[in-house]
Amino acid sequence: MKITEQKEYALVKEILSKLGASEEDCKIVAEATLDADLKGFTSHGLGRFPQYIKGIELKTISLEDNITIEKETPAIALINGNSGFGQAIAYKAMKLAIKKAKEIGIGCVGTHNGNHFGVTGYYSDLAIREDVIGLVIANTDPGVAPLGASKPVLGTNPVSIGIPSSDTYIALDMATSESARGKLLEAKRKGEEIPPNVALDKDGNPTTNPEEALKGSILPFGAHKGYGLSFMIELLAGPLVGAAYGSNVTGTAGTDVDCTKGDLFLAIDPSKFVDFETFEEQVEDFVSEVRSAGNTFVPGDLEVKRVAEAQENGMTIDPNLYTQLKDICDNLDINIDEYITK
């Protein structure tokens, strides 16, 4: 089964609109969901959408569009999301960081009391579109054991960085673990195994069974390097922004409890440092140097390729996800087969 980008955007908007979400939030969530699927991060696109609907039903996701700015200076802000859509909170936080960066050179906005927001890179992309550097980090439910331990304490704690450029899409979007938790959830839904050397079961033994991995822990990428980076993100996206940290983080992997994670959005205006055209030229010069070094790639190349393929061929919907989406649509008197091609 397949769905086109236009149909996916329209489907998400119609579902959320019928549930009572604001027009602005419908557009933001639909765009962020589509962005994930186009880039091939299907575990964070429509595959995660049933989780959001469940959150609305359980009232851990609020349909009210009422974020609160609790603290603010010319350079920083602290936002209380009041349990709204994670995508809408993150979108508004990054847009505020960009505004501050354009005014004084740098903007840093933290959020708490939000929800799962999809792929981190969607928000650093917002900065790129306005010729601003974007950096986003977040913490998540414990799923990663500290190096040498077996009990999950850290989240998968993603980071994304986007660099504006005249010709090349330059973007890094990654978890600090060997796999995002969403990929394990997706593998479980599809009945597939996960690659070896990604996760341990609850007894600390290597496993390729996603269900056992979800009960155990995911490994940090690069051993001590991934662990160290995840550790730092836990503090920058937790205590710094008034959010939970470590074993107190809840609500990103499910919706039966309130989401207590935090996010940090940083925007830097290169034109406040150097001439922007010169900056772009030097960025492209470095891109050329890297490409000339051999058969390699620039961060963002894979996403560009995936987007082109998805736009041409559509995106695959597996049978179990189709069933989940059909149940949602049936309850809202929406004909899902107007959107999905079997």
Side-chain angles (χ1 to χ4, degrees):
M1 289 174 279
K2 295 274 190 175
I3 189 168
T4 66
E5 61 175 318
Q6 295 83 6
K7 292 287 190 180
E8 177 168 328
Y9 181 80
L11 174 61
V12 173
K13 276 192 64 182
E14 182 174 7
I15 291 172
L16 294 178
S17 179
K18 286 206 170 187
L19 287 169
S22 70
E23 178 66 14
E24 182 182 23
D25 282 2
C26 287
K27 290 179 178 178
I28 293 171
V29 177
E31 184 174 316
T33 301
L34 177 60
D35 182 76
D37 283 326
L38 285 172
K39 290 175 179 174
F41 300 129
T42 54
S43 58
H44 289 61
L46 271 181
R48 205 67 171 244
F49 193 67
Q51 174 183 320
Y52 306 146
I53 303 305
K54 191 68 174 177
I56 294 170
E57 294 172 355
L58 296 174
K59 301 190 184 304
T60 56
I61 296 178
S62 171
L63 291 173
E64 297 296 322
D65 185 11
N66 61 343
I67 68 171
T68 304
I69 299 178
E70 296 180 332
K71 294 182 180 180
E72 188 170 19
T73 73
I76 69 101
L78 180 64
I79 287 177
N80 184 335
N82 293 311
S83 297
F85 286 109
Q87 293 88 341
I89 297 164
Y91 178 92
K92 293 166 188 176
M94 181 48 101
K95 294 293 279 189
L96 179 57
I98 293 167
K99 179 175 181 291
K100 290 179 179 295
K102 286 183 170 290
E103 290 172 351
I104 65 169
I106 192 165
C108 188
V109 178
T111 70
H112 61 99
N113 199 13
N115 272 294
H116 188 272
F117 61 34
V119 289
T120 315
Y122 172 70
Y123 308 98
S124 48
D125 281 358
L126 296 176
I128 295 175
R129 294 172 196 168
E130 299 194 42
D131 292 333
V132 171
I133 296 167
L135 186 152
V136 182
I137 58 175
N139 66 2
T140 71
D141 286 31
V144 179
L147 194 65
S150 58
K151 178 185 176 182
V153 176
L154 302 161
T156 54
N157 297 2
V159 55
S160 69
I161 304 173
I163 307 289
S165 171
S166 57
D167 297 318
T168 307
Y169 174 66
I170 303 174
L172 172 73
D173 185 358
M174 54 174 272
T176 51
S177 52
E178 286 288 352
S179 170
R181 190 199 315 266
K183 291 184 179 180
L184 271 62
L185 293 169
E186 183 176 53
K188 178 183 175 183
R189 185 187 74 233
K190 292 181 176 181
E192 298 175 349
E193 289 193 335
I194 58 174
N197 303 316
V198 164
L200 307 176
D201 64 19
K202 61 182 177 59
D203 297 318
N205 300 311
T207 183
T208 57
N209 183 319
E211 189 166 3
E212 293 302 317
L214 289 165
K215 295 175 184 177
S217 65
I218 308 169
L219 296 170
F221 89 89
H224 64 285
K225 296 178 181 179
Y227 163 57
L229 183 55
S230 181
F231 184 100
M232 296 302 181
I233 289 174
E234 194 76 44
L235 298 177
L236 292 172
L240 181 66
V241 300
Y245 53 92
S247 58
N248 292 317
V249 182
T250 60
T252 63
T255 50
D256 54 339
V257 292
D258 290 331
C259 186
T260 61
K261 69 140 181 166
D263 313 307
L264 190 67
F265 304 85
L266 180 67
I268 303 169
D269 185 352
S271 70
K272 298 295 193 295
F273 286 81
V274 293
D275 175 73
F276 185 71
E277 289 186 3
T278 302
F279 174 79
E280 282 191 313
E281 289 172 1
Q282 291 176 340
V283 167
E284 284 300 330
D285 182 59
F286 180 61
V287 168
S288 297
E289 184 179 1
V290 169
R291 294 200 191 284
S292 67
N295 184 22
T296 186
F297 65 95
V298 169
D301 281 355
L302 182 57
E303 286 84 349
V304 170
K305 180 181 178 182
R306 286 172 173 171
V307 169
E309 291 173 349
Q311 289 174 331
E312 181 178 355
N313 303 317
M315 293 157 287
T316 300
I317 303 293
D318 67 80
N320 286 337
L321 177 57
Y322 172 81
T323 299
Q324 292 175 348
L325 293 172
K326 187 176 187 306
D327 288 344
I328 293 168
C329 288
D330 288 348
N331 289 333
L332 295 171
D333 197 27
I334 297 171
N335 181 4
I336 192 172
D337 293 323
E338 291 181 0
Y339 295 92
I340 293 176
T341 302
K342 292 184 179 178

